[in-house]
Structure formats: C-alpha cells, structure tokens
Amino acid sequence: MAFENEESFAASSVEEKYESAVRARANMDRDFLCPICLHTMKDAFLTRCGHNFCYSCIMTHLKNRNNCPCCAQYLTIDLLMPNFLLTKLMNELSASMMLKNASPAEQLRLALEQDADLPPKELDSLLLLLNERKQKLDREEAEINTEIIFDFLHRLQFRKLEAMKEVQSDLQFLKDDIATVERRLRCLLASNKSHSKRVCEESPLSDLDIHTEYGSTSTGGAVSMWRSGQSGAYTPPGEEKLNRAERIRIRNLAYTSVSTDIENDPSVDSPGEYAGAHKIAKKRRVLAQFEELQGAYFLRRRQIAFKECQKQQSQESVSKKGAYKDWDTYDDGLDDFQSILTTYTRYSQLRVVAELHHDDPFQPSSNIVSSIDFDGDDQLFATAGVTRRIKIFNFATVIDDVVDVHCPVTEIPTRSKLSCLSWNKLKKPLVASSDYEGIIAVWDVNRSQVNRSGLLAQHRTVDVPTWVRTRNIHSVVEYEEHEKRAWSVDFSCIDPSMMVSGSDDGKVKVWCINQDASAFSIDMKANICCVKYNPGSSNHIAIGSSDHHIHYYDLRNLRTPLFVFKGHRKAVSYVKFMSSNELVSASTDSTLRLWDVQTDTSVQTLGGHTNEKNFVGLTVNSDYIACGSETSEVFVYHKATSKPSFSHKFRSSYAEDIGDDISFVSAVCWKSESPTMLAANSQGTIKVLELAP
C-alpha cells in the first residue's frame, strides 16, 4: 500500500513539474511580447519603471502621452534606454524558432551558412546521400513523365482507331451508295437509249445511219461497235463489256470537275444548254454548303447502320457470317438523303413578289406586326400587332394589284395591343387572339362592319355558344382568366373547338369555345412565351418558357410532362411543328433547334440570325424553316443544314429619321406547303417572299 502511494506521488510530481515547465515557458514567451503591439519585441527599450517595449511602439506612445503604458508613471523619451541583452536574446530566439520550423534541407543550409564545423568525412557522406536521393527523385520523376506520355499516346491511339473505324465505315457507306447510284444511272441511260432507238427506228433512216449514230457515242464509253466475219456485219458487244463500258462512262461523269463546269458556264437559250446551266447552278448550291450536306448525309447513313445493326442482332436466323443486310431499308436511307438534296437544290434565291404598307411614319413604334397567319385554304391572311387592330387581307389581291397601299378586306378593332393570332383551319371565320392585358378572344371575321369582299360570304354559319355575352360586336367569346400579358394562342388542327394559350402569369390554359371557362390549366412557375398544338394530335402540346426549356405535355396526364427538351441558353420564344414528330424551337440565344418528339433528342442546331431581346417570328413547312432577325433580315434554313440557305434584307423607309437600329423582322408565316411566305417588320411593312430557282 505504501508502494502504491509512493508511485502515485512520483507520477503526480512529474505531472506537476511538466505543467510548471509549460507555464514557465508560456510566461517567458509572454515576457518577450511588447505590451503595446502584443508581438515579439524588436529593438527593445527599457523604461525607468522596469518595463520593456518595442522602440517604435513606445516612441509612438510618448508622442501622444507622457506616461508608461503599463504602470502610468511619468515617462519621457529622455528616460528610455536600449535593452541590448533582451534584443540579443530576442534575435537568438527568432533564429532558433526559424531553425525549428525550417525543413531539413533549410536547416542544413543554415548550418552551412553559419560555418558549422563539419569534418570532411561527414561532408562526403552527406554528398553521397544527397546524390543518391537526387538520383532516386530523378528516376521517380522520369517514371511519372513516361507513364503520362504513355497514357496520352494510348488514349490518342484509341481515339484515332475509333476515328479510323468511323472513316472506314463512312467509306463503305460511300462505296455502297455509289454502286447503288451507278446501277440507277445505268438503268436511266439504258431507258433513254431504248427511247432514242425507238425514235430512230420510226424515223426514215437506214440501219447504217443508226449504227453510225450509236457508234459516235462510243467515245463516251456507252456502246462500242465490233465487226466479225468476212461480211463485215455488226454484232453487239457482250453484256459484260457493255456494263464495263457503262461504268467507265458513269464514273467519268461523276469525276468531272465541277469547277470546270462552272468556269465554262455558258449563256444559254436552247433547251439543251438550259439543262446544262441548270445542272451547274445546282452544283454551285451543293458546293456552297458542302460541309453541311456532308454532315447530313453521314448522320442519316449512320442512323441507318445503327438500325440495321440492332435489327441484325434481333434476327434469330442470322448466319454465322452475319451476312445480313436489309437493302430496302438501306436504299430508303439513301432515298431520304436524295430527297433532302433535291429540295435543297431546288431553289437558289428568296425574291420579293409583293409588298404592302399600312404603317404610320409619325409613330413608327406603333407599327409592329407581331403575328401573321393564313386561313385554312390560304385565300386570306390576318395581321395583328400593337395597332390594336386585326386586319384581314385577300392574298390574291395583294399579289395581283400593283399599288402602294393595299386596303384590308376586314378590320377588327381590339381593346389592347395584340401579341399573337391563330386562324381556325377547320372553321374559316374564326380567329383567336391574345393581347397584352391577358385576354384570349375568338373573333368572327364575318361580323365586321367593314366588308369589301365576297370571299367571306360563303362562310356565314358559325356555331356560337348560347351563353356568350360578347363585349365586342365582332367577338364570339372572350376569356379573362390570365392575370398578365398573354403571349401565345393556338387552335387545334384536329378539334376546331379547342385552343391553348400561355401567359406571363406562368399558366397554360386549354379552352373549349363552347364553355365559359378554361377546361384545363397548367402552372409552369415561369413566364410562358409560346404554346403550340401537335398537328397530328388533339392531346399533345409544346410549351416554350423563360426557363430555357420546351415542355411537351399530354393533356390526358397533366402531372408531369412527357419530355423536357433542354439545350437553349435563354428564353424559348417560339415553338412550331414541322410534322407530328418534328418540333422546331426559337430562342433569344440566337439559335433554332430541331427536336424529335418521339425520342426526346436534339436533331439539329441552326444559327446565323441575330435574336437577343425581341420576338422575331418563326414559321416552318415540311423542309424549310424561316425566322426573322434583329438585323432586319429574314433567314431561311433547310432543316438538314445548320447555316442559312437564303436571306432577304428589309430596307427601312424611315432610316434617315429613326435609324435602322430599331427595325427588326417581327413576324413570318409560310403559305401552307408552298415556297411562298409572308414577312413583316417592326415598321409595318409586309412582304410576300418566294423561294425561286
């Protein structure tokens, strides 16, 4: 028991000694601190009362007061004296602290700088150790660098092999397609020859003349003449030689330099020369966007190859060699691209057919045409904007009459500025509008007091709900459920009684014109810029909003959208359907995007116009996309290319007065599937534009 007490006493005494040493070191450290700045003293000075301070600190203090900062006794500069011993101790302490915190290499360096007494043997051993350490570090560094370059080269090889596989696959596509096109071209040439032969046989020419005529074409690689026997009778060449000669001719045609054709482009009047010039013009259009068309070609061929691969894997009866190819599908892919190339080369310019003005030169800001739309049979078109009027024009009259001012067939006054129009394609007299007060209205154009055309008389019967109390003599019904400005409205192409609208209040509302309130409502939590019915369905709508996304909804399930298309960097201002599966969107990030609504994928991104703050219009047909620009231009894109194919510049009528910078294209609209379109700008000028060869 006594032993345990002694042991515990010894342990406690050791702990007490350690704690007292720590306290003493802390007190000593505090003694080295200046009472004024609380840092280690520099150039210590001692006062008469026994306190030490930094020289700079105490001098600054004595300039303001004549007392000691610690005990408040009287003190002046004359009563200070330097404390050399404390300064020396402080320097030694600083050196020891620096040495303590330094790295081993730094400690060795400091020791050598201070002329440490090291015998030669120790120096030799140090040098040997340092050399070995350096060599080891060099080897490790070289190993790391070698591994890095090895990894880089391996990755580069992998990517190049993948690129080579892709190039080989693309070359195989080209080889197969060239063979297919050669077969088709041989068939066309053979058909033309048989037709020419029948024409020659019916003409009063001798057999010799016929053979001579055909022999003259043999230089082109088409048919060769051969003699056999003493009689000198002509015998046709064998089928193999004929096919070989035809292939040579076709390849000669394919390898003909397009630049040579363009350089030798003649001014032609005859039909044959016209055909040659027409071909050269088409080649020019292909060369103008060769890279874009190349991308479109390989995109479609790779898609077909991927589908073939999936189909091949799903076939249970595929041979071990895997020699399976769906040639019908393959040729369909080639035909798809050929149809793209045909539509792309069909036109060469965007020309003005007609122009009409209904603007006010004294109030240019009130002339903005915000929306244009054709009726179901393309006889009439309606315009609307900030003028608070819906104007109905006869398209044929605008085209035929060469006048400066075209009078509308009908004008419908409205209470507020209009943002969008939608003509009911199934009930011609009905036009829906959305305005800046959030009102959605349906108008009967036949109720207008101003009616200068008989075209409207044949559509007098319109189903009007019995409950409706119209506030305007022209309107069928008005809805005021939106709380803020309504940007967009659209009639269904399947059900003429249904329409949809979107507003800055973040709500999308579906209406039935036979009811006095909205049928459905979708709260999007963001400003709605555009809405559009799918032309192939009365249940699917696309919504563009300020959240940069397009939301695709099935109205039978409003809880969540079917798809959310993401890719734009700013608000989506327009959405239009090219078909029931293809959706086009426009954004104020100056891009258009083409989407596949079945696979939720982005097919193409188009750019070249300028659109950062205004609604500049968007319209589509089966092949082409048109939009406006804040540079006062209309741009037309082919859906297979990302760059504009055509453009037209609006010239400001009041450029000298108001400047071109405020003019922009504000609305565009195709005339069904024709190459004709309408375009309007912010100064009230409407042009009829047409794609022409």
Side-chain angles (χ1 to χ4, degrees):
M1 193 69 179
F3 177 77
E4 291 178 357
N5 292 334
E6 291 177 0
E7 195 174 71
S8 61
F9 175 76
S12 61
S13 61
V14 170
E15 292 178 358
E16 290 177 357
K17 289 180 180 180
Y18 176 77
E19 291 177 358
S20 62
V22 170
R23 286 195 297 270
R25 179 59 183 266
N27 293 331
M28 183 178 66
D29 292 340
R30 283 197 296 270
D31 292 339
F32 292 141
L33 298 180
C34 173
I36 297 176
C37 64
L38 300 179
H39 289 88
T40 303
M41 281 183 282
K42 295 180 180 180
D43 297 330
F45 267 66
L46 179 65
T47 65
R48 186 177 61 178
C49 53
H51 298 100
N52 291 287
F53 301 94
C54 294
Y55 175 73
S56 59
C57 294
I58 191 61
M59 293 300 290
T60 303
H61 175 77
L62 293 178
K63 288 180 181 180
N64 300 318
R65 295 184 180 182
N66 294 326
N67 61 354
C68 176
C70 293
C71 62
Q73 290 187 12
Y74 178 76
L75 183 66
T76 62
I77 297 176
D78 299 334
L79 300 178
L80 293 176
M81 62 186 66
N83 193 340
F84 295 109
L85 178 60
L86 183 59
T87 301
K88 182 179 179 181
L89 291 174
M90 293 299 303
N91 292 334
E92 292 178 355
L93 178 63
S94 299
S96 63
M97 292 296 294
M98 184 182 300
L99 187 63
K100 179 180 179 181
N101 297 328
S103 63
E106 186 68 18
Q107 291 179 7
L108 178 61
R109 187 185 65 81
L110 291 174
L112 293 175
E113 287 180 353
Q114 294 175 3
D115 295 330
D117 188 12
L118 296 175
K121 281 188 176 183
E122 292 186 5
L123 288 175
D124 291 339
S125 62
L126 286 174
L127 289 174
L128 182 62
L129 289 173
L130 290 173
N131 189 32
E132 290 179 355
R133 180 61 178 170
K134 183 177 182 303
Q135 291 179 356
K136 181 180 178 182
L137 293 176
D138 289 341
R139 287 194 301 270
E140 291 177 353
E141 185 69 18
E143 182 181 355
I144 292 172
N145 293 334
T146 306
E147 288 180 358
I148 290 174
I149 192 172
F150 177 78
D151 181 68
F152 170 78
L153 293 175
H154 182 73
R155 290 178 182 273
L156 183 60
Q157 181 189 33
F158 175 77
R159 294 189 180 185
K160 289 298 180 182
L161 287 173
E162 291 295 319
M164 184 177 68
K165 290 180 182 178
E166 186 174 299
V167 171
Q168 290 175 345
S169 177
D170 292 345
L171 289 174
Q172 188 62 41
F173 294 153
L174 291 170
K175 182 179 178 181
D176 294 340
D177 287 348
I178 288 172
T180 302
V181 175
E182 282 183 351
R183 288 196 302 269
R184 295 179 181 178
L185 193 53
R186 283 200 300 270
C187 293
L188 290 173
L189 291 174
S191 176
N192 291 335
K193 288 174 187 173
S194 63
H195 175 71
S196 300
K197 186 175 181 180
R198 286 196 304 270
V199 172
C200 292
E201 288 176 349
E202 294 174 359
S203 65
L205 295 175
S206 64
D207 293 340
L208 181 60
D209 293 334
I210 296 173
H211 288 297
T212 304
E213 181 183 353
Y214 276 86
S216 65
T217 62
S218 63
T219 58
V223 180
S224 299
M225 293 193 309
W226 298 84
R227 288 183 184 272
S228 65
Q230 298 296 326
S231 61
Y234 290 100
T235 58
E239 182 178 357
E240 181 180 354
K241 294 181 179 179
L242 178 62
N243 290 337
R244 185 167 61 251
E246 288 296 330
R247 286 197 297 271
I248 293 173
R249 181 186 175 190
I250 291 169
R251 286 171 183 170
N252 288 337
L253 290 173
Y255 298 149
T256 300
S257 173
V258 178
S259 60
T260 304
D261 290 343
I262 294 175
E263 290 175 1
N264 299 326
D265 187 5
S267 298
V268 294
D269 294 324
S270 64
E273 292 176 342
Y274 173 78
H278 183 59
K279 179 180 68 174
I280 292 172
K282 285 197 171 188
K283 287 182 179 180
R284 282 200 191 101
R285 291 196 284 275
V286 171
L287 288 177
Q289 288 199 3
F290 189 83
E291 296 296 329
E292 295 291 324
L293 293 172
Q294 171 185 284
Y297 167 78
F298 285 122
L299 175 64
R300 278 151 183 80
R301 304 316 279 137
R302 290 164 188 163
Q303 288 175 346
I304 293 297
F306 179 72
K307 292 179 182 178
E308 285 182 358
C309 182
Q310 285 185 327
K311 191 170 184 179
Q312 185 175 359
Q313 292 176 356
S314 64
Q315 292 290 330
E316 297 179 356
S317 60
V318 177
S319 63
K320 293 183 179 180
K321 296 181 180 180
Y324 173 82
K325 179 174 283 190
D326 190 348
W327 285 104
D328 292 336
T329 304
Y330 195 82
D331 288 344
D332 287 344
L334 179 61
D335 293 338
D336 179 40
F337 178 73
Q338 186 173 2
S339 66
I340 290 173
L341 203 61
T342 300
T343 56
Y344 177 76
T345 57
R346 182 177 300 161
Y347 307 110
S348 63
Q349 60 178 324
L350 185 63
R351 63 185 179 90
V352 179
V353 178
E355 184 173 335
L356 60 133
H357 302 269
H358 58 99
D359 48 5
D360 183 359
F362 300 103
Q363 293 182 347
S365 62
S366 64
N367 296 322
I368 299 176
V369 179
S370 58
S371 183
I372 303 177
D373 197 19
F374 277 98
D375 67 352
D377 52 15
D378 292 332
Q379 289 185 339
L380 306 173
F381 67 89
T383 67
V386 300
T387 57
R388 294 183 175 87
R389 285 182 176 274
I390 300 175
K391 297 184 180 182
I392 313 295
F393 292 90
N394 183 350
F395 182 75
T397 303
V398 171
I399 296 296
D400 296 337
D401 292 347
V402 184
V403 295
D404 293 334
V405 179
H406 293 270
C407 296
V409 173
T410 301
E411 287 192 29
I412 303 175
T414 62
R415 291 185 295 171
S416 180
K417 299 176 183 179
L418 299 177
S419 57
C420 184
L421 282 180
S422 178
W423 208 308
N424 195 318
K425 305 301 181 183
L426 302 178
K427 291 186 178 181
K428 181 173 179 176
L430 297 185
V431 178
S433 69
S434 59
D435 65 25
Y436 282 37
E437 294 182 2
I439 299 174
I440 306 300
V442 179
W443 310 89
D444 180 2
V445 298
N446 289 331
R447 292 188 181 185
S448 177
Q449 295 176 340
V450 182
N451 190 348
R452 299 186 178 93
S453 174
L455 286 174
L456 302 179
Q458 56 183 331
H459 299 282
R460 293 293 183 182
T461 303
V462 181
D463 296 332
V464 180
T466 57
W467 60 268
V468 174
R469 296 180 180 178
T470 58
R471 300 183 180 182
N472 191 304
I473 190 173
H474 312 291
S475 63
V476 175
V477 59
E478 291 184 355
Y479 300 101
E480 299 185 12
E481 293 187 20
H482 283 300
E483 300 173 0
K484 295 182 180 180
R485 173 169 45 189
W487 279 115
S488 181
V489 65
D490 184 51
F491 266 117
S492 170
C493 296
I494 305 297
D495 187 347
S497 64
M498 300 299 295
M499 62 181 182
V500 63
S501 65
S503 167
D504 272 340
D505 60 7
K507 292 181 174 59
V508 175
K509 292 186 177 291
V510 180
W511 314 89
C512 177
I513 61 174
N514 297 322
Q515 299 177 4
D516 59 350
S518 59
F520 309 105
S521 183
I522 306 173
D523 192 354
M524 298 291 296
K525 309 298 184 183
N527 294 23
I528 307 301
C529 302
C530 51
V531 290
K532 195 69 179 176
Y533 265 105
N534 188 318
S537 171
S538 60
N539 296 316
H540 295 87
I541 61 172
I543 305 166
S545 68
S546 61
D547 65 358
H548 310 174
H549 306 328
I550 301 102
H551 304 261
Y552 189 59
Y553 270 91
D554 186 339
L555 297 179
R556 293 166 296 188
N557 181 14
L558 299 179
R559 288 179 297 178
T560 57
L562 290 176
F563 302 118
V564 178
F565 302 107
K566 300 179 180 180
H568 285 297
R569 293 177 287 104
K570 290 186 178 181
V572 178
S573 50
Y574 295 97
V575 286
K576 301 285 184 180
F577 283 91
M578 299 191 76
S579 66
S580 58
N581 298 328
E582 295 175 304
L583 175 68
V584 179
S585 61
S587 169
T588 51
D589 62 4
S590 296
T591 63
L592 309 176
R593 284 182 176 264
L594 178 62
W595 311 87
D596 188 335
V597 298
Q598 287 188 325
T599 60
D600 186 22
T601 56
S602 176
V603 178
Q604 185 74 276
T605 300
L606 305 90
H609 62 284
T610 302
N611 182 19
E612 297 180 353
K613 57 182 180 179
N614 295 307
F615 280 39
V616 295
L618 176 69
T619 184
V620 299
N621 59 23
S622 58
D623 296 306
Y624 285 97
I625 304 168
C627 69
S629 174
E630 290 169 358
T631 57
S632 198
E633 293 174 277
V634 178
F635 288 90
V636 178
Y637 299 83
H638 192 281
K639 67 178 182 180
T641 60
S642 63
K643 297 179 181 178
S645 301
F646 314 101
S647 65
H648 173 76
K649 177 77 172 181
F650 272 76
R651 299 298 177 184
S652 175
S653 302
Y654 316 107
E656 297 180 357
D657 299 330
I658 60 177
D660 277 330
D661 56 333
I662 67 169
S663 176
F664 60 91
V665 175
S666 54
V668 288
C669 181
W670 285 110
K671 184 176 179 284
S672 294
E673 295 302 321
S674 73
T676 304
M677 64 180 295
L678 297 171
N681 71 348
S682 58
Q683 296 178 0
T685 301
I686 301 174
K687 291 187 178 184
V688 182
L689 304 174
E690 182 181 59
L691 292 175

